[in-house]
Amino acid sequence: MDYLDKVLEKIKEWARKLIDALLGPEAQPEPEPIPIPVNDPQRR
């Protein structure tokens, strides 16, 4: 029974890799942009 569990786990792993290769990785939320302070010279 332990052997069958290992085989099923390998099949799941291969299926996951195949789906990732065909459809791309799972959608991840875009990180929020970090505001960067800029020294803005005063205009005359």
Side-chain angles (χ1 to χ4, degrees):
M1 197 66 167
D2 189 41
Y3 176 75
L4 288 177
D5 291 337
K6 288 181 182 179
V7 170
L8 286 175
E9 192 62 38
K10 277 292 183 187
I11 291 173
K12 287 180 188 177
E13 185 180 320
W14 290 339
R16 210 173 293 126
K17 287 181 182 179
L18 179 63
I19 291 170
D20 282 349
L22 294 175
L23 303 177
E26 290 183 15
Q28 298 176 352
E30 282 193 30
E32 290 286 326
I34 300 172
I36 300 173
V38 177
N39 290 333
D40 192 20
Q42 294 178 352
R43 294 183 181 176
R44 296 181 187 176

